[in-house]
Amino acid sequence: MTGGTPVAGETLPGAGGGDDDADRVVCHVDMDCFYASCERLRRPDLAGEPVVVGMGYEPGESIGAVATASYEAREFGVESAMPISEALELLPRRADADPDDPDAPDPEETGRYLPVDLDFYEDVASEVKEVLRDCADTRREVSIDEAYLDATDRTSWAVAGGGGGSPSDGGDGDDGDDSTDPPPSGAAGPAEARTLAEGYARHVKDRIEREAGVPASVGVAPNMSAAKVASDADKPDGLVVVPPGSVAEFLAPLPTADVHGVGPVTEGTLAELGIETAGDLAAADRDRLAAELGERGPELSRRAAGDDDREVTPTGLPKSLSRESALPTTADEPTKRETVSALAADVARRARERGCLYRTIGIKAVEPPFDVNTRARSLPGPVDDPDLVEEVALDLLGEFDETRVRKLGVRVSKLDFAETDQATLGGFEPGDGPGDGSDGAADRPRGSVGRTAGTDGDGGKLTDWVDGEPTADGDATGNEAERRTGDGQASLSDWS
């Protein structure tokens, strides 16, 4: 990046006012090569290795497409959505590097190819989402590896140590003030004031690394589009903060391709108009842009100038509500039951606060290292019954009384937000009632568990355990065909 773009951990000095909604603090969290990072989580030997994760790929085969490539693999030219056969020409498989074969590829110029394991990635993603839920009340979860947070009510643009308040979610209470620490090479030093927003973002980033075990890059700015560009400015493992008054200066030298919402087709059209940088786009005649690109043209020009008044909004009503908790694998049965009881109470409370009923109650038990098990039971009708949530969850937990687990979760799903009468459950015993047919509850004795798609059995989809739903439009621009994944990774919506 050029032209004064900030580096990791840097907060740009203010350049004067002018930004709309200048008090707003928006974080864009973008996981770094997420699928590859997940593979390294369970296989530490892959650290530093070129890793290619392929969709539709089987070991030893050459079919399929690249879902993501680690940064080491990208140095060889491997990119997401590239056919595996083409990737193999650029980066041969490590398994083909036979030291006794003079015609075999050099081991130093080979990579590790792995098939996609979506169930595992979704489980790791749920841990990331749990951190994000804890860190911000207003979130837009764009995909399995990307989210926006409106952190305005948690932190501010005040200078750390300047008496301007502190993040409410600062963990140890001093996350906001990094000015006494040695700055990273090339980053802002103590003379360049650090904001509380930077400390807050660092707290979010560190929690993701600590609790989910995977790295993330975070961009912070007063609006969504600038935050997204910032998160991509210093990957991997980056933190770039663009305070109010500095957005236009930050964006100006960047190529138009970096402007949020500009895809390859639009980039080409702009180039034909002699518009090469975000600064050019910001200064361009907007009537001319409208003639060439329609209403999107002026909108992209405004974004390039740092003007974006979109609010961070959730992606819709959730399909489920859940809460998870990690615990030591040595936890005994009473500890497990206490944990599930607490989780059940919290989930039921959240459902009541949101005014929703639920038809299914489930649990999640993760055995070490990452074996995900889910169990669920359907109810005769939608209910709001915290005691029942606890009773059913504990009943389902019985299957894991003698099992070592590293995490437990409780979920309510099949949510009903309509103002309807609650089903009468007089005399209802979980597993004995007339069920809704989805899990055969009526045909099993109390305490038994079935395995039907969507409710029971091992594994589970991201939407089963994460509030809100990933969306295909990604950046909410209405320009899905030109959406870019900031980390060069194919999203689940591209492949599912």
Side-chain angles (χ1 to χ4, degrees), residues 3 17 28 33 40 52 65 100 117 136 161 169 173 201 213 244 264 294 320 359 423 446 453:
H28 182 255
C33 300
R40 286 171 169 167
V52 178
D100 297 326
D117 184 351
D169 193 30
S320 65
R359 294 173 180 264
R446 174 176 169 81

Side-chain angles (χ1 to χ4, degrees), residues 140 142 146 148 224 228 260-262 303 310 472-480 482-484:
R140 180 175 180 83
V142 176
E146 179 184 4
Y148 292 92
M224 290 177 65
K228 183 173 176 67
H260 188 202
V262 174
R303 290 189 188 177
R310 292 176 301 157
D473 65 350
D475 59 12
T477 64
N479 186 32
E480 178 180 346
E482 292 201 76
R483 180 171 67 87
R484 296 167 179 257

